[in-house]
């Protein structure tokens, strides 16, 4: 709708429940992934990073089909029309999404084949076609096939005695047509491209040449090696043709927790079912596949043409992460080495000549926290030397009596899991609340949950009907004649690997009120406590929505009484209808609102009479923006909060979340600096228009680039030198 029409409507009275004021959630997500794709299209992005963003785009899209599009498909088939604020029917959503994706996927593959692959050759990197390899290289590939690939393959024929094979989710397959040379009868067979082998087969150093000259890397896709050696799999048969395809299955499964005697066993069963039994929601096919074979596949997979996406080129570009391993540092983002948070640096001593010496051991975190709270910002500041060190010290400190932690996602080889096991072995009371329903991490979580249980850790799986998404740790320590509680409350998972890629915040404290709140929260999670009131924490689904609503209403009252109402909120997604409607009311009252939303945003900013006081930006770049920060001006005495919750209905009503106020003035200043840097971004920030489209900010004439991530790196280095 045009601004003129909206202005005309405002004069006639505004109904904030009108669907025109809300953007469809799925359509908004597509816009987010399009911004990810743009990083691959942008020539300012280093070459190998452009390939990485192509891979991220594909990986994101896989998950979107498995969870979101498959769900909309089920709604459309069932004739269900959920009462979403935007009123877009499931059938219409599918139509919009398919139209968008056909064009975006075409652009993605075109960029890869026509721009990025040729650019790689300038640096001695050649991803070739098998048929273009030299005789010596082809001999090596044939030998590699015989020794490394052939023993792994299992061709599956399709005929009256062999039904169409069951295919696993995200599997890459060759549809092979073979003919009996004696009878001329043609048959279909499927050969799965093994995911256990490297996707790209590179040449050994003596054969690493192109047109007779040495090069850095040269190789071919694994599926081409298989395709050109199919004679080994079908001896005596004539290979008529072979064409690549890939399937995506619905991967969102329901678990009836109150009917499951053992939640862990129930989810293990569902994981196995998801891999093979979810319906096919997408089939990617090589554009060269003939119509008869395409129709046959569609029939066997039970899909209609609107679920088929033809691809001209390499399928499954998520495997392009491989190119990050090439030794070409100038073609990547400058690596960032996380700094030790200033107050957690090793102790410095000065000798008589003024020379500095550093302790070999990290300082005692508990002693430092008794002097005041600490705020850490990852990946600019080290996760290992803060969060990990906090838990490790607690595990080995003889004064620590208990450790309680919520684990939503972590790596299988996590030092944190090892520290918790060590703590249990040191006879401490250790409780780990493991969220088994963390989507796509269920199998990983089950594996290390069993290891924790075997070590004597008390493992619990949360509350029926609620996901436990909060990021909290409580350490109980005996100090003299008293018990003191230390806490960590964060915005990100206890995952050392993603802590290098995601931006997150964490608060360390030994304040009595926070320690008491976390004690109550863990009792709520592990026992039968019905605690509903907390001293400082905002806890979903109990108090978070009501408190956030009250804070926004306070800003509305400030503006209505002639003062300044102002809100700055940073989150991953903004979806909840009630929160959006309230933000519209705040804008109408004159409250100035800045929203930093990385992903889905169902709110429309800049609509006259509705949201003209709301601005929305999205920051996409080297790191994935994951931290949540909420600032309410409060008449010039701003209140800041950080935590695990976005403004989504699931976070506010169906998950256990914790949001904590930041009260130390120095830490408040740190949060304000982060928000100011992001709002001033003219390199990585995208500005949202009222029609839902985004425009990337660009430096004006004579203006320097101000990218959020580089600016925050420089800021961290300055603080490190000063402090």
């Amino acid at each position: 709708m045009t601004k003129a029409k909206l202005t005309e409507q405002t004069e006639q009275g505004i109904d904030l429940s009108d669907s025109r004021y809300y953007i469809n959630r799925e359509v908004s997500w597509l816009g987010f992934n399009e911004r990810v794709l743009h990083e691959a299209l942008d020539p300012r992005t280093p070459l190998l990073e452009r390939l990485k963003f192509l891979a991220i785009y594909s990986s994101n899209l896989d998950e979107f089909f498995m969870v979101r599009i498959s769900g909309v498909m089920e709604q459309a088939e069932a004739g269900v029309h959920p009462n979403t604020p935007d009123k877009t029917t499931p059938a219409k959503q599918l139509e919009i999404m398919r139209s968008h994706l056909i064009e975006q996927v075409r652009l993605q593959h075109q960029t890869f084949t026509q721009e990025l692959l040729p650019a790689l050759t300038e640096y001695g990197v050649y991803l070739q076609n098998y048929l273009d390899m030299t005789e010596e290289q082809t001999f090596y590939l044939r030998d590699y096939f015989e020794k490394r690939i052939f023993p792994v393959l299992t061709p599956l024929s399709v005929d009256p005695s062999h039904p169409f094979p069951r295919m696993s989710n995200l599997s890459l397959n060759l549809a092979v047509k073979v003919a009996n040379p004696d009878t001329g009868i043609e048959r279909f067979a499927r050969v799965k491209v093994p995911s256990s082998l490297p996707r790209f087969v590179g040449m050994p150093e003596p054969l690493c040449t192109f047109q007779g000259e040495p090069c850095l890397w040269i190789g071919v896709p694994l599926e081409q090696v298989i395709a050109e050696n199919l004679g080994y799999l079908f001896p005596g048969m004539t290979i008529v043709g072979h064409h690549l395809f890939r399937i995506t299955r619905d991967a969102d499964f329901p678990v009836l927790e109150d009917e499951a005697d053992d939640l862990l066993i129930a989810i293990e069963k569902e994981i196995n079912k998801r891999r093979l039994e979810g319906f096919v929601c997408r089939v990617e096919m090589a554009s060269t596949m003939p119509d008869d074979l395409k129709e046959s596949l569609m029939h066997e997979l039970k899909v209609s043409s609107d679920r088929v996406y033809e691809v001209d080129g390499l399928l499954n570009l998520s495997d392009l992460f491989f190119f990050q391993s090439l030794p070409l540092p100038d073609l990547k983002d400058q690596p960032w080495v996380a700094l030790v948070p200033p107050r957690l640096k090793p102790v410095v001593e000065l000798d008589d000549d003024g020379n500095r010496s550093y302790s070999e051991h990290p300082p005692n975190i508990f002693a430092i926290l008794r002097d005041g709270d600490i705020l850490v910002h990852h990946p600019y500041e080290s996760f290992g030397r803060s969060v990990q060190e906090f838990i490790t010290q607690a595990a080995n400190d003889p004064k620590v009596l208990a450790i309680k932690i919520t684990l939503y996602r972590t790596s299988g080889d996590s030092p944190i899991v090892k520290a918790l096991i060590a703590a249990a072995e040191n006879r401490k009371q250790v409780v780990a609340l493991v969220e088994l329903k963390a989507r796509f991490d269920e199998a990983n979580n089950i594996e290390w949950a069993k290891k924790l249980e075997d070590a004597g850790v008390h493992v619990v799986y949360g509350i029926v009907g609620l996901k436990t998404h909060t990021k909290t740790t409580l350490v109980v320590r005996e100090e003299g004649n008293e018990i003191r509680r230390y806490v960590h409350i964060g915005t990100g998972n206890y995952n050392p690997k993603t802590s290098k890629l995601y931006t997150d915040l964490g608060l360390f404290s030994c304040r009595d009120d926070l320690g008491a709140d976390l004690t109550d929260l863990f009792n709520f999670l592990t026992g039968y406590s019905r605690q509903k009131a907390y001293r400082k924490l905002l806890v979903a689904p109990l108090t978070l929505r009501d408190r956030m609503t009250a804070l926004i209403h306070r800003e509305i009252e400030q503006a209505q009484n002639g003062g300044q109402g102002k809100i700055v909120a940073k989150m991953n997604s903004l979806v909840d209808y009630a929160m959006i409607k309230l933000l519209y009311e705040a804008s109408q009252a004159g409250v100035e609102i800045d929203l930093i939303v990385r992903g889905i945003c169902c709110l429309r900013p800049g609509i006259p009479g509705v949201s003209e006081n709301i601005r929305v930006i999205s920051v996409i770049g080297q790191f994935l923006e994951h931290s949540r920060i909420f600032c309410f001006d409060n008449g010039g005495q701003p209140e800041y909060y950080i935590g695990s919750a976005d403004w989504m209905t699931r976070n506010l009503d169906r998950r256990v979340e914790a949001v904590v106020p930041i009260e130390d003035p120095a830490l408040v200043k740190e949060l304000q600096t982060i928000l100011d840097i992001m709002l001033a971004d003219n390199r990585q920030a995208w500005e949202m228009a009222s029609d839902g489209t985004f425009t990337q900010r660009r430096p004006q004439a004579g203006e320097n680039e101000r990218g959020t991530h580089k600016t925050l790196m420089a800021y961290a280095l300055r603080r490190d030198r000063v402090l």
Side-chain angles (χ1 to χ4, degrees), residues 470-474 487-490 507 509 511-522 525 531-540 542-545 547-548 551 641-644 656-663:
T470 179
K471 329 294 185 183
T472 51
T473 301
L474 173 67
V487 307
H488 172 262
I489 303 165
L507 175 71
S509 180
R511 285 162 40 195
D512 290 339
D513 47 13
L514 292 180
D517 272 352
L518 271 197
T519 298
D520 289 340
L521 178 59
F522 275 103
L525 292 171
Q531 183 80 22
K532 292 185 178 180
Y534 292 84
R535 300 154 190 82
K536 291 290 183 178
L537 287 184
L538 313 185
V539 176
L542 302 172
T543 64
L544 179 58
R545 179 186 286 279
R547 183 58 182 154
M548 285 288 174
L551 290 168
Y641 298 81
I642 67 168
S644 58
V656 179
E657 307 275 9
V659 172
V660 62
I662 304 298
E663 298 181 342

Side-chain angles (χ1 to χ4, degrees), residues 635-695:
Q637 297 181 321
E639 292 185 5
Y640 283 81
Y641 298 81
I642 67 168
S644 58
D646 294 315
W647 284 350
M648 302 178 73
T649 306
R650 71 184 189 190
N651 297 97
L652 297 170
D653 298 338
R654 300 195 299 272
R655 288 185 172 186
V656 179
E657 307 275 9
V659 172
V660 62
I662 304 298
E663 298 181 342
D664 184 300
L667 305 189
V668 164
K669 186 176 180 181
E670 292 298 312
L671 292 179
Q672 182 61 59
T673 298
I674 293 169
L675 294 178
D676 287 345
I677 287 171
M678 299 193 77
L679 292 172
D681 188 308
N682 64 4
R683 169 62 180 87
Q684 296 170 237
W686 294 73
E687 206 148 352
M688 185 180 183
S690 56
D691 63 359
T693 61
F694 280 81
T695 302

Side-chain angles (χ1 to χ4, degrees), residues 547-720:
R547 183 58 182 154
M548 285 288 174
T549 299
L551 290 168
I552 296 173
H553 274 299
R554 187 179 66 188
E555 296 305 309
I556 292 174
E557 291 174 8
Q558 285 281 343
Q560 289 174 336
N561 293 331
Q564 173 181 275
K566 188 173 182 180
I567 298 169
V568 182
K570 177 183 183 296
M571 64 197 82
N572 296 328
S573 298
L574 173 56
V575 174
D576 185 74
Y577 167 73
M579 295 299 287
I580 294 173
K581 185 171 180 286
L582 187 55
L583 290 172
Y584 286 158
E585 292 173 6
S587 174
Q588 290 175 324
V591 178
E592 295 291 323
I593 302 170
D594 283 302
L595 302 174
I596 305 168
V597 185
R598 185 196 78 226
I600 303 168
C601 181
C602 296
L603 172 149
R604 294 184 185 272
I607 300 174
V610 176
S611 58
E612 68 240 39
N613 292 314
I614 303 177
R615 292 156 299 279
V616 179
I617 66 168
S618 172
V619 172
I620 306 291
Q622 182 173 349
F623 303 127
L624 184 140
E625 285 299 328
H626 193 255
S627 57
R628 290 91 166 179
I629 308 173
F630 307 97
C631 172
F632 303 90
D633 187 68
N634 188 32
Q637 297 181 321
E639 292 185 5
Y640 283 81
Y641 298 81
I642 67 168
S644 58
D646 294 315
W647 284 350
M648 302 178 73
T649 306
R650 71 184 189 190
N651 297 97
L652 297 170
D653 298 338
R654 300 195 299 272
R655 288 185 172 186
V656 179
E657 307 275 9
V659 172
V660 62
I662 304 298
E663 298 181 342
D664 184 300
L667 305 189
V668 164
K669 186 176 180 181
E670 292 298 312
L671 292 179
Q672 182 61 59
T673 298
I674 293 169
L675 294 178
D676 287 345
I677 287 171
M678 299 193 77
L679 292 172
D681 188 308
N682 64 4
R683 169 62 180 87
Q684 296 170 237
W686 294 73
E687 206 148 352
M688 185 180 183
S690 56
D691 63 359
T693 61
F694 280 81
T695 302
Q696 190 173 41
R697 289 179 177 173
R698 297 273 179 163
Q700 299 299 309
E703 189 178 34
N704 293 326
E705 277 193 353
R706 297 188 301 269
T708 292
H709 299 150
K710 286 188 177 179
T711 303
L712 284 169
M713 289 178 197
Y715 173 70
L717 288 170
R718 286 197 303 272
R719 288 182 69 238
D720 187 65

Side-chain angles (χ1 to χ4, degrees), residues 391-402:
I391 297 170
T392 300
Q393 285 193 23
N396 296 295
D397 188 334
K399 294 182 179 180
V400 169
L401 305 177

Side-chain angles (χ1 to χ4, degrees), residues 47 50-51 111-125 328 331:
L47 179 57
R50 296 177 71 181
L51 289 163
T111 301
F112 174 61
T113 57
Q114 297 182 18
E115 190 173 345
L116 302 189
L117 277 184
L120 282 173
T121 64
E122 298 177 19
Y123 301 93
V125 178
L328 292 168
L331 303 184

